[in-house]
Amino acid sequence: MVDYTKIYLLNIDTQKLLKLKVLDFKSTISKTTGEINESVFIAKYHFCEITIQRIKEEGKPERTHVFFVGSIHKMWNELNGIKAPNYDEKKLYKGFNGNQFTLNNIVEVRTHLEDLFDCKASQMIFQNIEFGVNIILDYNPILFIKGLLYRKNIMFEFSHHGNSSKVIYCNYLLKIYSKLYQYDMAENVIRIELKTLKMDGLKDKNIVIDIKTFEDINENTLDKVSKLLIKRFNEIRHYDYSIDKKKLTEHKLNALRDYSNPRYWINDLEPNDRDRHLKRLDSITTKFSKKRFQKILIEIEKKCSTVNQLFDNKTREEINKKCSTINRVFENPFCSTLNLLDKELNIIQNTFKKEIEKEPKKDEFAKPFSSYQEQKKTIAEYNRLTVQNYNTKYNQ
């Protein structure tokens, strides 16, 4: 459930750290003067970054700071030899976090970092942290994402051809995006993600989450984070594009033309007028749609309860061994094994594909691709035909 982190490491033996063979620390060079900055050393480590910063001030003892930044989910996958479905050794690879990442895996990463930095988990202080879950849908995630209207008076921002969205606040952001599009996955995977910009982003008047260091990550705190993620997701206002417009009156159809437009809610309606229209939209959605928002909400609850359980207590020796268990092999020849960590992710769901006549057939996605660009082109066409067919079907 935990992904990106920024960690400040307290009281680390930097001389010992600099001598580790697994870390290749490099100094930074000024682009203006060409001078080497010997106060900052950076090492790349399994798609993460470790920085040692030395601060010298006249008349004061030298201070040293150590930071660890990056996705511990990607790091875990890389340590265990798990590659993305669209992995191509000839292309720049940025890691993979499209499978499930459980509390067991988080504990493994924590133990690995304790050994790497020769410290305790209580010395790893979070400055930023990201929580999220991957959910499998029976339709293309873009059909849900395009219906995101606003949350707490702020509209969603969209990118990556409509496959990614986020809504930003002072201390946190909520991001919803398609893993299908990002990694050309076989399943229709959507990710729901809460990222803190400051640790205050975890504050809530009804949910007390006491996470300060890596030591604080456990079943209890992750259960509270799950409740916060569910609460903030449930505050989203969404338009369901599965509404069957053929069953609606002309009056309701005219209303939906406004209701599907985020700017109508934020710019045209006064805040005290929204409630009446939201109730009307909810009524139409409940009666005439596939209730996609509520189904995703239920899936988030299920997924959180699964990935946040600590199923066993491995020894440090067992954790440090490279994972050899293979749960799944993708058909893409460039793809390494993918350790999918629950039964649902071992099933390819094609319900959505039966609904779209012009969509590429399953076999077209299953066969090997000659290049990453060809894969991207195919997924882009899949998304285009998805939206085109739904617009044709429901906007007549």
Side-chain angles (χ1 to χ4, degrees), residues 330-365:
F330 277 86
E331 296 179 24
N332 186 338
F334 298 120
C335 175
S336 178
T337 55
L338 176 58
N339 182 10
L340 294 175
L341 299 165
D342 62 74
K343 292 181 180 179
E344 289 182 31
L345 278 179
N346 287 322
I347 300 172
I348 297 178
Q349 301 182 12
N350 295 312
T351 305
F352 169 77
K353 295 181 180 181
K354 295 176 183 177
E355 299 175 7
I356 300 180
E357 298 174 0
K358 297 181 181 179
E359 184 184 330
K361 296 179 181 179
K362 175 185 173 183
D363 291 342
E364 295 181 41
F365 288 97

Side-chain angles (χ1 to χ4, degrees), residues 189-345:
V189 180
I190 191 171
R191 182 165 179 83
I192 318 297
E193 195 170 85
L194 172 64
K195 179 177 181 178
T196 65
L197 304 177
K198 299 178 181 178
M199 289 306 289
D200 285 348
L202 292 178
K203 286 186 177 180
D204 184 271
K205 63 180 180 181
N206 298 317
I207 305 172
V208 179
I209 302 173
D210 189 19
I211 294 179
K212 294 182 175 64
T213 73
F214 217 142
E215 186 180 41
D216 300 324
I217 300 294
N218 53 51
E219 287 182 86
N220 180 50
T221 54
L222 288 186
D223 179 63
K224 291 180 179 180
V225 168
S226 299
K227 291 177 180 177
L228 182 63
L229 177 65
I230 290 166
K231 177 183 177 181
R232 290 181 177 174
F233 179 82
N234 201 29
E235 291 167 342
I236 292 171
R237 300 308 174 208
H238 181 263
Y239 176 83
D240 196 325
Y241 277 90
S242 73
I243 293 173
D244 190 348
K245 293 183 179 179
K246 294 179 180 178
K247 296 180 180 180
L248 302 183
T249 63
E250 189 65 29
H251 185 61
K252 287 187 173 68
L253 286 172
N254 289 333
L256 289 187
R257 292 188 184 97
D258 288 331
Y259 291 168
S260 62
N261 184 356
R263 289 170 180 78
Y264 169 77
W265 296 96
I266 301 301
N267 298 334
D268 296 347
L269 285 179
E270 294 295 330
N272 57 357
D273 289 334
R274 289 178 194 157
D275 189 58
R276 177 169 58 90
H277 290 280
L278 283 171
K279 288 179 179 178
R280 189 179 180 193
L281 176 58
D282 287 344
S283 176
I284 294 172
T285 303
T286 301
K287 292 177 182 178
F288 302 105
S289 79
K290 296 180 181 178
K291 306 177 186 65
R292 287 174 170 166
F293 186 91
Q294 290 303 319
K295 289 179 179 178
I296 289 180
L297 187 62
I298 292 170
E299 287 303 311
I300 294 174
E301 293 174 348
K302 288 181 181 178
K303 194 67 64 178
C304 287
S305 66
T306 300
V307 300
N308 292 340
Q309 293 181 38
L310 191 61
F311 291 105
D312 54 26
N313 293 310
K314 295 182 179 180
T315 64
R316 185 175 296 272
E317 289 73 21
E318 289 175 316
I319 289 173
N320 287 333
K321 286 181 180 179
K322 184 175 180 179
C323 176
S324 60
T325 303
I326 299 173
N327 290 333
R328 175 167 182 179
V329 178
F330 277 86
E331 296 179 24
N332 186 338
F334 298 120
C335 175
S336 178
T337 55
L338 176 58
N339 182 10
L340 294 175
L341 299 165
D342 62 74
K343 292 181 180 179
E344 289 182 31
L345 278 179

